[in-house]
Amino acid sequence: QVQLVESGGGSVQAGGSLRLSCAASGYTYTMDYTMGWFRQAPGKEREGVATIVNDGSTRYAESVKGRFTISKDNPKKTLYLQMNSLKPEDTAMYYCAAGRSSTREVNGMWTDFRYWGQGTQVIVSP
């Protein structure tokens, strides 16, 4: 069983930065899975933000390209999302996910993952 715990969310002014972390546990090879960050704003559907494959290949939503960077530290079993130049529209609950379970995509981002964290809130004020 895989457990994912996010941290690092908070409140920041537009233009600021945050780094989200996702600590994985429960399965030795969790970091070999495809992993990703998703977000859901109030009244909106969940959307993929960034994903990273075992070989290090990454995908980003168009809205965050050039501002967000996904990375992982395998020995520490931690996934990161560095968020720079934050905008009010980045305000959302951010979720970590692992283990892609289908090839379904929305706007070029995989959508279906087996394991999910509980989320960490990001609020960006104007």
Side-chain angles (χ1 to χ4, degrees), residues 74-94:
N74 286 347
K76 292 184 177 180
K77 299 185 76 172
T78 302
L79 180 73
Y80 300 102
L81 184 69
Q82 178 66 44
M83 305 187 295
N84 298 329
S85 302
L86 282 161
K87 303 176 181 180
E89 51 264 43
D90 295 319
T91 295
M93 186 70 80
Y94 283 71

Side-chain angles (χ1 to χ4, degrees), residues 8-24:
S11 296
V12 65
Q13 288 190 323
S17 298
L18 286 172
R19 188 176 80 156
L20 306 184
S21 299
C22 171

